[in-house]
Amino acid sequence: MATAKPALAVWKFASCDGCQLSVLSLTDELLALADVVDVAYFLEASSAVHEGPYDLSLVEGSVTTPDDVERIHEVRRASRTLVTIGACATAGGIQALRNFADIDGFIDAVYAHPAYVSTLATSTPISEHVEVDFELRGCPVDRHQLLEVVSALLRGRRPSISPASVCMECKRSGAVCVMVAHGTPCLGPITHAGCGALCPAHLRGCYGCFGPAETAATGALAAWWQEILGVEHTDLLRALRTYNAGASEFASKGEQHVASGA
Amino acid sequence: MGTPADEARVMGVDGLDALIRALGERGYEVLGPRVRDGAIVYDGIDGAADLPVGWGDEQAPGHYRLSPRDDDACFGYAVGPHSWKRYLLPPRSKVFEAERGAKVFALRSAEMPRKRFAFVGVRPCELAAINIQDHVFLRDTARDVLYASRREDIALVAVQCTEPSGTCFCASMGTGPAATDGFDVALTELLDGHHRFVASAGSELGRELLAAVGAAEAEQADVDRATTVVDEAAQRMGRSLDTEGLAEALYANLEHPRWSEIAERCLGCGNCTLVCPTCFCTAVIDTNDVTGTGALRERVWDSCFTIGFSYIHGGSIRPSLRARYRQWLTHKLATWRDQFGTDGCVGCGRCITWCPVGIDITVEAAALHEPAPAAGAGR
Ligand code: SF4
Ligand code: SF4
Ligand code: SF4
């Protein structure tokens, strides 16, 4: 480590750039980061591009075009460690809603010349295409968690990122449970921690931005929402089908409920 | 019930207010119940007016609502989502920091300078829970300095329970609704006629405080009334748990089909353990800063419901929800006894109310008390 600084690359696939902005919004820590890594490829921040290989690649976005499929393999080949960041890269993002619909119908409705559009029928996470070393969840990712992942991997340490529920963070923060005390449907019990229970702290139910928690019990929560909180089936489906619609623990329950509610 | 007539004092709401202020004047950080975001939580209080005056609560499995009372009771509710463990065993605390310089490696242990805590409105089940955690953290063989530094010299103003909630079962666990010891002052709120508090001191500090606020000697009628309202509360518990032979039954029923059935309802979210005033499990987390020169060791609340909790090399030894729920319930009601000589449950009901899907320890324990139904009869 006394030699050259490790090369960092930040890549974009189908995404809104919000996670890359989380890197930039590190502000103070960003300068410290720039001291210890060589920012070799980060178009959102600089047009100066250094060639690979890269020691650490952060990949934002999902795979939605044939071109993406090729490019992610190139990125993988050029990267020693590859970390996916955000709901798009780890679960397919909001654009994975197309997985449940007819893509040709969308194309015809939106584009004047559909023939120019080359796209896949699905939006899929990076891990469906190449091996991923670490997945950081969130829509967008939490910048402190992002810094932790980078700090850990630069030192060869496992990132300290808990895959347990948002409830764990909610209770630690001292917030009052919105589901128990207000009857507000909340996805916190099945959602991956990381946001610090942001929405419950503002008396809103969790929207599931960080995707499924470890062993997410979607069916058990859905049953309570419907039977006790009186949530309609379409609203349950909508709640499960947002930024992490493509994550199997959310998607499969959604499918099941489409089937049973039809 | 520990309010012998010769020691009992009586005071009004102004006396309670003076008591809270007297603690503040003596340099304590005074904490007590307050209304926030639709629940009664613990936070800083400056006087009696900060208490949830005129509020009650409605509790059931997975359900909590504040409800207005038709009187000005200061303590007319049961425990809420917070417990005093939040202060004695904080959700996140620094264990040490380390800094690597050119030649030296400096370690800084967690600084512990702080005001002493005064807890006001501590319920009997919470006194019992503090006692249980003291036993976990203050044994000679395993003294926890972080806990000890926060626990030392605290002042405890207990309140005997007169309004048990729908999920309370302290009477079954022998921890309430009367406060017997472990407090500096114990109060009983009386609402018939003149709004007043019967107070008894449990320590020298308590006697001093009651003298300082000018609490008068209580009449026998008030003392009797205090005994009656607490005795009546014992009859109005929302839940009960038969602990007779329970630990043995749980050991005998480790393969009971009920465990799998619970696992279909349980979310594995961990709420039950974090709201529990006796659950003490934490994770130790080491991180380094981006430059690699600074490192931090922290301790955060963990739960046996997380996969990481039982992670040993190669994987988690409790990957299924069935195994994790079984760990939790058997620890509370059976293995805790072997480990520490008491139950791990004080009957406060928090895990029942704050389980987002209303899983009820009393119902599950009762089902598991019975032998498994004959093969074919169950699911
Ligand atoms: S197990 Fe439940 S009822 Fe018992 S002390 Fe813990 S939270 Fe209270
Ligand atoms: S029940 Fe679980 S979290 Fe609570 S003390 Fe036991 S092992 Fe720890
Ligand atoms: S019993 Fe309830 S609170 Fe506890 S982990 Fe299961 S769902 Fe969560």
Side-chain angles (χ1 to χ4, degrees), chain A residues 157 165 171-172 174 180 182, chain B residues 37 65 82 86 269 288 301:
Chain A
R157 167 172 71 75
S165 71
K171 283 290 179 289
R172 286 188 199 120
V180 169
H182 303 250
Chain B
D37 295 340
R65 292 292 182 279
H82 287 183
R86 168 164 298 281
C269 58
N288 59 272
W301 282 358

Side-chain angles (χ1 to χ4, degrees), chain B residues 71-119:
Chain B
D71 57 30
D72 287 334
C74 298
F75 298 105
Y77 42 83
V79 293
H82 287 183
S83 76
W84 303 105
K85 135 177 135 175
R86 168 164 298 281
Y87 299 97
L88 300 177
L89 177 70
R92 178 176 286 269
S93 47
K94 190 190 293 180
V95 180
F96 64 72
E97 277 176 316
E99 189 78 34
R100 186 175 62 187
K103 288 219 172 77
V104 287
F105 179 74
L107 271 185
R108 277 193 306 278
S109 56
E111 74 288 355
M112 304 176 200
R114 54 152 200 90
K115 287 180 158 186
R116 299 165 299 166
F117 293 126
F119 298 161

Side-chain angles (χ1 to χ4, degrees), chain A:
Chain A
M1 45 164 286
T3 57
K5 293 193 276 187
L8 175 76
V10 183
W11 309 92
K12 173 185 162 64
F13 286 78
S15 60
C16 76
D17 290 32
C19 291
Q20 294 186 67
L21 283 175
S22 297
V23 180
L24 292 174
S25 69
L26 280 169
T27 55
D28 287 357
E29 297 94 337
L30 197 60
L31 296 174
L33 181 62
D35 272 350
V36 293
V37 299
D38 167 27
V39 182
Y41 184 99
F42 189 4
L43 294 183
E44 178 108 8
S46 161
S47 50
V49 169
H50 302 184
E51 274 192 27
Y54 307 100
D55 295 289
L56 176 58
S57 277
L58 303 178
V59 179
E60 175 196 84
S62 67
V63 172
T64 59
T65 66
D67 203 39
D68 287 345
V69 179
E70 276 180 39
R71 196 158 59 94
I72 190 57
H73 282 96
E74 283 165 28
V75 170
R76 176 70 268 192
R77 278 193 291 274
S79 311
R80 184 172 323 166
T81 301
L82 189 156
V83 173
T84 51
I85 59 171
C88 299
T90 59
I94 189 79
Q95 59 274 26
L97 285 175
R98 70 165 67 172
N99 302 3
F100 308 99
D102 171 22
I103 189 70
D104 293 332
F106 285 155
I107 295 174
D108 287 344
V110 173
Y111 297 98
H113 300 287
Y116 293 126
V117 178
S118 165
T119 191
L120 298 170
T122 55
S123 169
T124 44
I126 301 299
S127 61
E128 279 198 20
H129 302 271
V130 296
E131 194 174 318
V132 170
D133 298 298
F134 191 85
E135 293 189 301
L136 184 65
R137 315 283 207 85
C139 184
V141 291
D142 174 88
R143 60 199 172 103
H144 300 292
Q145 285 209 322
L146 183 63
L147 190 68
E148 161 58 14
V149 169
V150 172
S151 302
L153 295 177
L154 287 177
R155 301 287 143 191
R157 167 172 71 75
R158 182 167 135 169
S160 166
I161 303 291
S162 168
S165 71
V166 167
C167 297
M168 297 286 290
E169 298 187 300
C170 190
K171 283 290 179 289
R172 286 188 199 120
S173 77
V176 173
C177 175
V178 297
M179 204 150 96
V180 169
H182 303 250
T184 304
C186 178
L187 286 174
I190 59 168
T191 297
H192 193 289
C195 63
L198 189 58
C199 291
H202 293 87
L203 304 186
R204 305 294 297 260
C206 167
Y207 293 95
C209 306
F210 280 60
E214 59 185 12
T215 65
T218 313
L221 185 69
W224 187 267
W225 274 31
Q226 294 192 285
E227 288 158 28
I228 307 294
L229 303 183
V231 174
E232 295 293 336
H233 157 261
T234 43
D235 293 328
L236 167 70
L237 198 60
R238 281 197 187 120
L240 290 173
R241 289 206 174 156
T242 62
Y243 325 103
N244 290 280
S248 63
E249 298 87 337
F250 285 1
S252 59
K253 198 65 214 171
E255 302 270 80
Q256 218 167 308
H257 277 261
V258 170
S260 66

